[in-house]
Amino acid sequence: MKRLLVIALSAALLATPALAQFRPSTNLLPEQDRNAVSKGQQMSLRQIYQKLEQRYGGKPVDARRLDESRYLIRWQSSQGRIMNLVVSAVNGQVLSEQ
């Protein structure tokens, strides 16, 4: 029983950093961020991911907030290529691609 508990706790500790990489850092409070999305002033990260998936295929690797109006998203295309995309939080448009 103790062994099972130790394994479960270890798995939880290892999973925490992996989940944290998909939480963008922002200067906005979570409530302000939600309000901006609900008022249509900016797109949610989920909506931006959907646009990028339509354009490039693939999936997100990492995301962080550059400022109130831009995200830096590392994206893995369906061909396996990793791209650094600067994306507008307002309309989800790709501003820069590397």
Side-chain angles (χ1 to χ4, degrees), residues 45-89:
L45 198 52
R46 173 184 237 151
Q47 292 169 319
I48 292 171
Y49 284 167
Q50 289 172 345
K51 286 185 80 166
L52 294 175
E53 188 175 3
Q54 289 174 355
R55 183 172 177 177
Y56 300 106
K59 60 185 179 183
V61 175
D62 189 25
R64 68 182 173 98
R65 195 79 181 247
L66 293 175
D67 54 35
E68 287 79 18
S69 63
R70 297 179 303 152
Y71 285 105
L72 174 61
I73 300 174
R74 288 184 51 114
W75 189 268
Q76 182 177 2
S77 71
S78 54
Q79 290 83 21
R81 181 176 159 221
I82 301 288
M83 298 174 282
N84 291 318
L85 306 172
V86 176
V87 181
S88 169

Side-chain angles (χ1 to χ4, degrees), residues 2-76:
K2 285 184 181 179
R3 187 175 185 169
L4 184 60
L5 183 60
V6 169
I7 291 171
L9 288 174
S10 298
L13 289 174
L14 292 174
T16 302
L19 292 174
Q21 72 179 343
F22 290 105
R23 294 187 188 137
S25 61
T26 178
N27 293 332
L28 295 176
L29 296 172
E31 184 178 332
Q32 291 172 318
D33 214 11
R34 281 192 301 273
N35 289 341
V37 170
S38 66
K39 290 178 182 176
Q41 295 170 340
Q42 70 181 34
M43 296 179 73
S44 70
L45 198 52
R46 173 184 237 151
Q47 292 169 319
I48 292 171
Y49 284 167
Q50 289 172 345
K51 286 185 80 166
L52 294 175
E53 188 175 3
Q54 289 174 355
R55 183 172 177 177
Y56 300 106
K59 60 185 179 183
V61 175
D62 189 25
R64 68 182 173 98
R65 195 79 181 247
L66 293 175
D67 54 35
E68 287 79 18
S69 63
R70 297 179 303 152
Y71 285 105
L72 174 61
I73 300 174
R74 288 184 51 114
W75 189 268
Q76 182 177 2

